[in-house]
Amino acid sequence: SCFPFLFQSMEKEIIAAFGEGEPSEIMSSAFKLKVTREDIHTLRNLQWLNDEIINFYMNLLMERNRKEGYPTLYAFSTFFYPKLVSGGYKAVRRWTRNVDLFKQDIIVVPLHLRVHWALVVIDVRKKSIKYFDSMGKKGDKICETIFQYLQEESKEKRNLELSFSEWVLRSMEPHEIPQQLNGSDCGVFMCKYVDYISRDKPITFTQNNMPYFRRKMVWEIIHRQLL
């Protein structure tokens, strides 16, 4: 297979991280975030990933994409979208005070939809907003909400109107992106969508890669670097 194996020394660390221990023990901290043993345990097979794991991984991706040769990437926190929906633009206006969204190539919005993870990808270069869902659901309304947010942000930060007719908004069809075959891997699918998209790579993984991806993410989070 095209996926590298994990070396024995890495496997040992992963097994230890999944092992018994104080649930609140901090296994990794960076980006003003902390990941505990309890958080890491959500990476065990068939567990649902939590916000801490997703936000930490998104920060690792952003950090990688600061390197030469990668598109510039900005990932919103998983807490952004609920705040936008409940409080409108003014509730999240300050979230971007240190970032110019319109200088990014790719912006991603991880979505925690009650018991499901999905994703919105804004490609600033192509003027597209796409919804990615590993269970094949539609997110057209979500894309519209995100476009309205971008419009407000553009008016507020650059005094510029975005023209709706120039933008493409759509939900990815189930046959276009890998789909999950169980009820628990949506978070890993979402993280890996971002990993591939942020390298401008075709999304070629499948459900079969999930156990490996989960173990790899444990190592990457503990070591604060992507393999």
Side-chain angles (χ1 to χ4, degrees):
S1 104
C2 55
F3 293 99
F5 59 93
L6 294 168
F7 295 106
Q8 272 177 320
S9 58
M10 291 175 167
E11 269 295 348
K12 277 207 184 92
E13 289 183 84
I14 294 162
I15 290 162
F18 279 156
E20 294 293 308
E22 186 51 53
S24 61
E25 182 193 342
I26 290 163
M27 308 292 278
S28 195
S29 62
F31 323 112
K32 302 194 178 109
L33 300 171
K34 289 183 172 52
V35 172
T36 64
R37 185 178 291 272
E38 194 171 12
D39 298 329
I40 288 281
H41 281 201
T42 69
L43 282 162
R44 284 171 138 156
N45 281 341
L46 305 181
Q47 301 294 312
W48 280 342
L49 302 199
N50 68 9
D51 293 280
E52 282 67 32
I53 292 293
I54 302 244
N55 287 325
F56 202 93
Y57 190 76
M58 292 294 148
N59 273 281
L60 288 175
L61 292 171
M62 279 195 276
E63 190 170 71
R64 176 194 65 198
N65 275 50
R66 289 193 190 100
K67 290 192 196 127
E68 190 119 18
Y70 286 101
T72 48
L73 172 69
Y74 183 75
F76 276 105
S77 151
T78 56
F79 304 114
F80 169 77
Y81 186 73
K83 194 97 178 136
L84 171 65
V85 171
S86 64
Y89 179 73
K90 62 182 183 304
V92 293
R93 193 171 63 87
R94 291 180 52 74
W95 284 52
T96 50
R97 62 184 179 279
N98 299 323
V99 58
D100 182 348
L101 289 185
F102 300 97
K103 285 211 169 76
Q104 311 299 314
D105 293 323
I106 298 168
I107 303 161
V108 294
V109 186
L111 305 164
H112 200 170
L113 309 171
R114 287 206 218 61
V115 294
H116 184 53
W117 287 105
L119 178 72
V120 166
V121 177
I122 305 161
D123 192 322
V124 181
R125 306 163 296 185
K126 295 180 187 144
K127 297 197 167 146
S128 71
I129 299 177
K130 291 179 180 165
Y131 176 78
F132 286 72
D133 191 314
S134 55
M135 283 188 153
K137 298 196 180 96
K138 289 246 176 286
D140 299 343
K141 279 274 179 296
I142 295 174
C143 289
E144 284 165 31
T145 304
I146 297 291
F147 181 75
Q148 282 163 353
Y149 163 78
L150 273 187
Q151 269 184 317
E152 299 271 5
E153 180 77 355
S154 184
K155 273 188 281 197
E156 171 89 13
K157 302 281 164 78
R158 342 181 265 180
N159 216 356
L160 210 73
E161 284 276 355
L162 292 188
S163 154
F164 184 71
S165 61
E166 287 176 11
W167 284 72
V168 174
L169 278 58
R170 76 181 190 94
S171 298
M172 299 299 278
E173 298 286 338
H175 66 87
E176 294 179 286
I177 53 173
Q179 298 287 292
Q180 66 188 95
L181 304 174
N182 62 27
S184 54
D185 281 331
C186 48
V188 189
F189 270 82
M190 190 201 70
C191 285
K192 297 315 280 189
Y193 287 155
V194 180
D195 175 22
Y196 281 62
I197 290 163
S198 62
R199 292 179 287 155
D200 284 328
K201 287 265 186 283
I203 306 175
T204 51
F205 61 82
T206 70
Q207 176 69 57
N208 294 340
N209 303 121
M210 291 301 126
Y212 168 72
F213 282 163
R214 283 173 173 274
R215 298 177 89 76
K216 188 157 88 103
M217 283 173 76
V218 172
W219 191 94
E220 291 171 327
I221 286 169
I222 290 174
H223 288 270
R224 299 189 292 277
Q225 80 185 65
L226 296 174
L227 286 170

